[in-house]
Amino acid sequence: MTRIPAHAIIAALIIAASLLVAPALASEGAPSTIPHAFYGQVYGPDGSNAPAGSIIVASVAGNEAGTILVGPAGAYGTAYGGGAKLVVWTPALQPGENITFYIDGVRAAESALFESGGVTNLTLTASAALPKERPGESTTRPVNATGGQSVTLDGGGASAVLTTTGDFQGETIVFTLFTSSPDDQPVPPGTRDVGRFAEITSTIGNDNIQKVIVRVHYTDADVVGIDESSIRVYWWSTTGAWEQLPGGVDTGANVAWGETDHFSTFGLFGAAPKPSPGGGGSGGAVPVVTPDTTVTPVETTPVEATPAPVDAPETGAPLAAVTGTPGAAAPAEDEPVAGAAEPLPVAAVVLIVVAIAAAGFLLLRRT
């Protein structure tokens, strides 16, 4: 009988397994595309290099499809080898769909069409001035809104509850978050910086916004030295100043909100803590008393151990609990009639002798 080589058996098993697995993958909606990779130069609107650390986000129909940091300045990704590239892909992405790029929340002038498995050298140029500070986060979200009805759009550290005047489908909102003012804007007078800022933009124009509630999150560490109940959302107005929005703060959830009718740059600010009630002239702060170790403690009389009386009950006999005013003598079981001359019991004599001895001992110590 002819023996079948082991490697032939293994190959046959692999082929059979692949024939079984392929229909299962097809039925479960296996990806029909593979990522499209990008690399190249990246510039500000004036042709200067985009700063290192800038965040590039690729977005398709408002959905974030890939992100990469600029580094070194003016470049993203690498041309050759296995270096990092901007990898663009989502499970629903199909060839020919348009890819929009954002640099630190600013839309790039260039776009591209998705190509499954493509590798593209694409130069990106910001369509407006980039912020002076580098953000900590940047992302995009799709917007599908029905006029007059609110829709919640979550950008991580910030969110927006948007109500538009009309219907919008396939639009985009961009959340870019900072821990310091994006363009070195000064702190409003009488407030302190919480360290939470959000640049929010959208392909829906401000003229089409009926109302938007902006919510910005913070941490407990952000509000050290700030009266948390005073935190409010401000927006950077066209007058070149921060203006407070009507709103409030949920100190339990660590989130402040403000209501407006447009997108802009938003920031959290609060007042310094209020002085404690009853404080002195130094701002009302409660003084902290530090113990002085140089003070000699007051001498106290040592407590002498009292010997058991000669007629004490045997070990194990129950003792009565002493109640009443501290220092008062406990009443005797058979209290004599007032004024009657009764001989002192032996126990009392012993106690008197011990007390006299203790007093004498203290007098000797003092001399």
Side-chain angles (χ1 to χ4, degrees):
M1 183 176 64
T2 304
R3 294 174 60 87
I4 301 175
H7 67 273
I9 296 175
I10 295 173
L13 290 174
I14 293 174
I15 294 172
S18 64
L19 292 175
L20 291 174
V21 171
L25 289 176
S27 64
E28 294 179 3
S32 59
T33 61
I34 58 177
H36 187 168
F38 293 86
Y39 68 94
Q41 304 300 307
V42 54
Y43 301 111
D46 59 355
S48 61
N49 289 336
S54 295
I55 303 175
I56 297 178
V57 175
S59 179
V60 178
N63 293 289
E64 181 181 316
T67 183
I68 194 172
L69 295 180
V70 173
Y76 71 99
T78 55
Y80 305 104
K85 291 179 174 62
L86 173 55
V87 177
V88 178
W89 187 82
T90 68
L93 195 52
Q94 296 298 316
E97 290 193 71
N98 189 64
I99 305 171
T100 304
F101 300 90
Y102 294 88
I103 310 163
D104 284 349
V106 178
R107 185 168 177 166
E110 299 80 11
S111 61
L113 299 180
F114 178 74
E115 177 187 347
S116 180
V119 178
T120 303
N121 180 355
L122 179 65
T123 296
L124 298 176
T125 307
S127 60
L130 297 175
K132 294 179 180 179
E133 296 294 327
R134 305 281 65 78
E137 302 176 45
S138 186
T139 189
T140 66
R141 294 288 185 267
V143 181
N144 299 302
T146 301
Q149 299 182 13
S150 64
V151 57
T152 300
L153 307 162
D154 187 4
S159 61
V161 182
L162 175 64
T163 304
T164 57
T165 57
D167 297 344
F168 294 90
Q169 299 294 317
E171 302 293 339
T172 302
I173 186 171
V174 185
F175 295 91
T176 305
L177 309 181
F178 302 80
T179 55
S180 58
S181 56
D183 290 297
D184 298 332
Q185 295 98 326
V187 175
T191 69
R192 293 187 178 182
D193 180 356
V194 176
R196 296 290 165 173
F197 299 86
E199 179 86 31
I200 305 178
T201 60
S202 176
T203 55
I204 299 175
N206 285 335
D207 292 342
N208 298 312
I209 296 177
Q210 178 179 325
K211 181 177 68 172
V212 59
I213 298 174
V214 176
R215 298 168 60 88
V216 181
H217 295 267
Y218 61 89
T219 68
D220 290 339
D222 295 330
V223 296
V224 174
I226 295 176
D227 178 8
E228 190 173 359
S229 65
S230 71
I231 295 174
R232 295 294 183 271
V233 177
Y234 289 68
W235 75 284
W236 184 250
S237 76
T238 55
T239 62
W242 291 105
E243 295 185 12
Q244 181 179 322
L245 296 178
V249 61
D250 184 343
T251 57
N254 285 15
V255 60
W257 71 90
E259 182 178 325
T260 183
D261 60 359
H262 60 274
F263 290 124
S264 180
T265 301
F266 303 94
L268 297 188
F269 299 94
K274 298 177 181 179
S276 302
S282 58
V286 177
V288 178
V289 178
T290 303
D292 186 356
T293 57
T294 63
V295 177
T296 304
V298 178
E299 183 178 357
T300 56
T301 303
V303 178
E304 300 289 341
T306 303
V310 294
D311 57 350
E314 295 181 0
T315 303
L319 301 176
V322 178
T323 60
T325 304
E333 290 184 4
D334 297 324
E335 188 172 349
V337 179
E342 293 288 344
L344 293 173
V346 175
V349 174
V350 172
L351 289 175
I352 292 173
V353 172
V354 171
I356 293 172
F361 174 75
L362 290 175
L363 288 173
L364 289 173
R365 288 189 61 187
R366 291 178 183 274
T367 58

